Amino acid sequence: MSRGFRDEDVTQAMTDKAIGDTISKVLERDAEQEARSADRRAHGDAGLCEDCGRPIGAERLAALPKSTRCVRCQSAWEQANR
Ligand SMILES: [Zn+2]
């Protein structure tokens, strides 16, 4: 029963929790994005950027059908929401 072992366990537990939090955040975001994309399809707005209103490139939609922003707005959004 050395103190060192306990500390390692705590560190490991914290790391596991941090990884779990990150994963659930990513999954949550993905689910949100899915819902938003479905909502925009329902309103006939699919294919238009939700920020600037310009058409999202066909290539981007083919690669990422759930996209609701054009490349420029998406990268701005990701910078702001990191
Ligand atoms: Zn845009």
Side-chain angles (χ1 to χ4, degrees), residues 17-66:
K17 189 178 181 311
I19 293 170
D21 284 354
T22 305
I23 291 172
S24 60
K25 210 177 268 177
V26 167
L27 290 177
E28 211 171 277
R29 245 182 217 186
D30 202 51
E32 268 176 30
Q33 184 62 31
E34 180 89 59
R36 192 154 56 210
S37 157
D39 190 55
R40 290 179 67 76
R41 268 198 302 273
H43 288 89
D45 290 332
L48 295 180
C49 172
E50 66 176 304
D51 284 355
C52 69
R54 276 182 241 161
I56 301 170
E59 271 174 35
R60 176 165 168 75
L61 282 175
L64 290 164
K66 287 186 285 180

